[in-house]
Amino acid sequence: MFVRRIAVIGTGYVGLTTGACLASLGHDVVCADVDADKIKRLTAGEVDILEPGLAELVAGGIAAGRLTFVLGAAAAVERQPEVMFLCVPTPMGVGGVADLSIVESVIEETRDLLPSGCVVVNKSTVPVGTAERTEELLVRDDVAVVSNPEFLREGSAVYDFLNPDRIVVGGSKQDAAERVAALYSRLGAPTVLTDAPSAELVKYAANCFLAMKLSYVNAVAELCDRLGADITDVTEGMGYDKRIGQAFLQPGPGWGGSCLPKDTSAMLQLADAADFEFRLIRATIDTNTRQRLRMVEKIRLAVTGKKGGSLSHVKIGLLGLTFKAGTDDLRDSPALAVAALLRQAGATLTGYDPALKPGVTHPDLNSITIAEDPYQAAQDAEALIVLTEWPEFRSLDWPRLAGEVRKPIVVDTRNLLDPAVARRAGFEWIGVGKH
Ligand code: UGA
């Protein structure tokens, strides 16, 4: 394997993971960001993203002299990189269209500085056609642009980077795409070499498929509720079919996070722009919105004993607020979406999350009092709601929680708990698609 000089622009969870992992594979990596404080902290080996194994990889890279941090993309390009990864945010802009202004400003900043022969790699999730547009913006025949989407899950990004299911690289110049694929050769993953639009579409198609799988499971769980079937047994039975697989079949309060909602909306826009009404994706999103409402109705019924009962001034304890377990990320969290609906219905909310400290600030947390521990969140609550699948909730002292609440009701939107344990402690346990 050739050791390459690599620049990574953006030190979010994708950029930092990419930089640290490529350094651990032996490459010489410089990471750039516009946040001077962050660069200072990273240079000192301080990682503020909750990502298992990342801090150790960053420390190892710095110690080996293979990983450095600089302020601004231009400073990174001064190191004459052979490959420059773009790992900057592409937030959802107006009407669900990905906002590419940060990608564009990096290209503008580096356009005249990139060494001849450099390959610019787009790792951010971008609309189909962005690689071509980047090529146009670059106006450099001697610099190639390829798309190399990432498939990292928050909370297991390092593991996913080093154990990829596949590597996808697409571009109009075959040798540039091959050079980028070679960076990963030590990982031994199947590699798809293609054109840029196909590589860009793989990312959307994969994330939308995952979202669709979850919406499907949540809809089947609703049917289980109505028919008296058990979603755990149904999904287990489905999952043994190798074409379906057991993964990503867990019902919940809906899917969220910084990727699936953004990418499903972007896919709709993409299809729309191509004059194609992608109804399956529309239904996937609508089912997800409905799932959140359905959870609130479940809670309402559990607490008031009737459909449409009032939740006004009802105190509810929330267990879990992040969009999934193993992260401190609150972006587009289904837990917060359910909380907002409960709040709208007049409920008073106290929440506990292992990743959040009391006093933490976030605009969406406004109406939720953050508790020190789950027992405090349970005090005088008329129901406890499990919203995020933190495994530690299973082994809480459930008899103690029963002593704290006003009404021993737990609505488990993740089917996380052992119902027998909760029931033994005196709780009425209410799951999703389970009885
Ligand atoms: C997702 C994809 O899984 C990654 O492959 C992709 O690289 C990433 O987006 C991205 O585009 O960067 P992530 O957003 O970290 O990763 O989260 P997931 O683990 O996919 O979870 C998404 C949501 O689905 C969460 O709210 C989670 O709780 C929910 N979920 C997941 C379920 O409700 N049930 C499941 O069985 C699995």
Side-chain angles (χ1 to χ4, degrees):
M1 189 195 80
F2 293 108
V3 172
R4 296 289 186 193
R5 271 192 321 281
I6 295 171
V8 178
I9 314 301
T11 59
Y13 100 97
V14 173
L16 191 58
T17 304
T18 300
C21 289
L22 287 172
S24 81
L25 294 177
H27 300 292
D28 183 4
V29 182
V30 55
C31 292
D33 204 287
V34 287
D35 182 339
D37 279 346
K38 198 171 180 188
I39 290 300
K40 213 182 274 171
R41 288 197 302 275
L42 285 170
T43 303
E46 288 167 32
V47 174
D48 48 18
I49 304 173
L50 189 68
E51 205 47 80
L54 186 57
E56 292 81 348
L57 272 193
V58 168
I62 295 172
R66 282 198 296 266
L67 183 63
T68 48
F69 297 93
V70 295
L71 182 62
V77 174
E78 266 172 29
R79 310 270 181 98
Q80 303 287 296
E82 295 157 275
V83 181
M84 176 172 85
F85 281 90
L86 300 177
C87 302
V88 292
T90 53
M92 187 146 49
V94 191
V97 183
D99 174 358
L100 293 180
S101 52
I102 307 179
V103 172
E104 284 166 6
S105 75
V106 172
I107 292 301
E108 221 143 87
E109 185 182 344
T110 54
R111 183 197 289 131
D112 301 327
L113 307 170
L114 288 167
S116 189
C118 183
V119 186
V120 174
V121 185
N122 220 327
K123 247 204 177 325
S124 310
T125 309
V126 289
V128 175
T130 301
E132 273 174 24
R133 182 140 156 245
T134 309
E135 263 168 8
E136 280 161 25
L137 279 172
L138 262 173
V139 248
R140 291 271 308 260
D141 283 344
D142 58 338
V143 173
V145 177
V146 307
S147 165
N148 169 218
E150 54 81 16
F151 303 101
L152 313 175
R153 290 164 300 171
E154 279 192 52
S156 35
V158 169
Y159 177 86
D160 288 348
F161 191 101
L162 296 173
N163 302 274
D165 287 342
R166 76 300 210 185
I167 300 291
V168 176
V169 190
S172 54
K173 292 182 179 139
Q174 173 89 11
D175 60 322
E178 277 169 5
R179 233 183 317 146
V180 171
L183 298 175
Y184 304 96
S185 58
R186 267 182 59 190
L187 301 176
T191 300
V192 180
L193 280 181
T194 179
D195 52 69
S198 304
E200 287 165 341
L201 194 55
V202 168
K203 179 58 190 272
Y204 284 113
N207 270 4
C208 288
F209 189 85
L210 292 172
M212 194 177 69
K213 199 171 179 189
L214 292 179
S215 277
Y216 182 77
V217 165
N218 286 333
V220 174
E222 175 160 2
L223 207 52
C224 288
D225 270 337
R226 289 165 187 254
L227 301 180
D230 185 313
I231 189 68
T232 309
D233 295 346
V234 172
T235 50
E236 188 187 352
M238 285 164 61
Y240 287 125
D241 184 326
K242 289 188 193 66
R243 296 165 302 174
I244 297 174
Q246 297 286 355
F248 245 67
L249 284 182
Q250 188 62 32
W255 38 269
S258 66
C259 303
L260 301 192
K262 171 170 83 77
D263 293 351
T264 41
S265 289
M267 183 71 134
L268 270 190
Q269 295 299 323
L270 212 67
D272 215 38
D275 209 15
F276 169 54
E277 196 188 348
F278 208 149
R279 290 202 191 163
L280 207 49
I281 302 301
R282 166 63 61 209
T284 297
I285 296 170
D286 290 347
T287 303
N288 200 42
T289 308
R290 184 175 144 68
Q291 184 69 3
R292 294 160 181 202
L293 292 166
R294 201 168 89 77
M295 293 303 108
V296 173
E297 292 319 309
K298 216 179 229 302
I299 295 162
R300 190 193 295 280
L301 185 63
V303 173
T304 68
K306 54 177 187 268
K307 278 188 178 166
S310 170
L311 288 175
S312 184
H313 302 296
V314 170
K315 185 168 184 276
I316 292 180
L318 309 175
L319 296 180
L321 296 168
T322 53
F323 87 97
K324 65 175 183 179
T327 168
D328 56 1
D329 200 336
L330 293 170
R331 284 176 293 175
D332 243 311
S333 169
L336 294 184
V338 170
L341 290 167
L342 289 171
R343 186 77 197 93
Q344 263 172 35
T348 311
L349 307 175
T350 303
Y352 168 73
D353 190 288
L356 302 180
K357 291 200 175 66
V360 66
T361 53
H362 187 282
D364 296 341
L365 283 178
N366 263 347
S367 55
I368 307 170
T369 309
I370 303 296
E372 296 264 357
D373 59 46
Y375 307 100
Q376 198 181 52
Q379 264 168 27
D380 297 326
E382 300 204 25
L384 274 180
I385 320 294
V386 177
L387 288 169
T388 310
E389 74 283 27
W390 288 100
E392 50 261 60
F393 292 159
R394 279 198 200 108
S395 45
L396 293 177
D397 184 343
W398 283 92
R400 183 176 161 198
L401 284 168
E404 296 287 354
V405 293
R406 185 172 302 162
K407 279 191 199 159
I409 297 172
V410 57
V411 179
D412 184 357
T413 71
R414 297 275 187 173
N415 290 347
L416 174 77
L417 309 176
D418 179 344
V421 170
R423 285 177 180 146
R424 248 196 325 271
F427 274 93
E428 180 189 350
W429 179 87
I430 299 164
V432 177
K434 259 180 115 62
H435 40 91

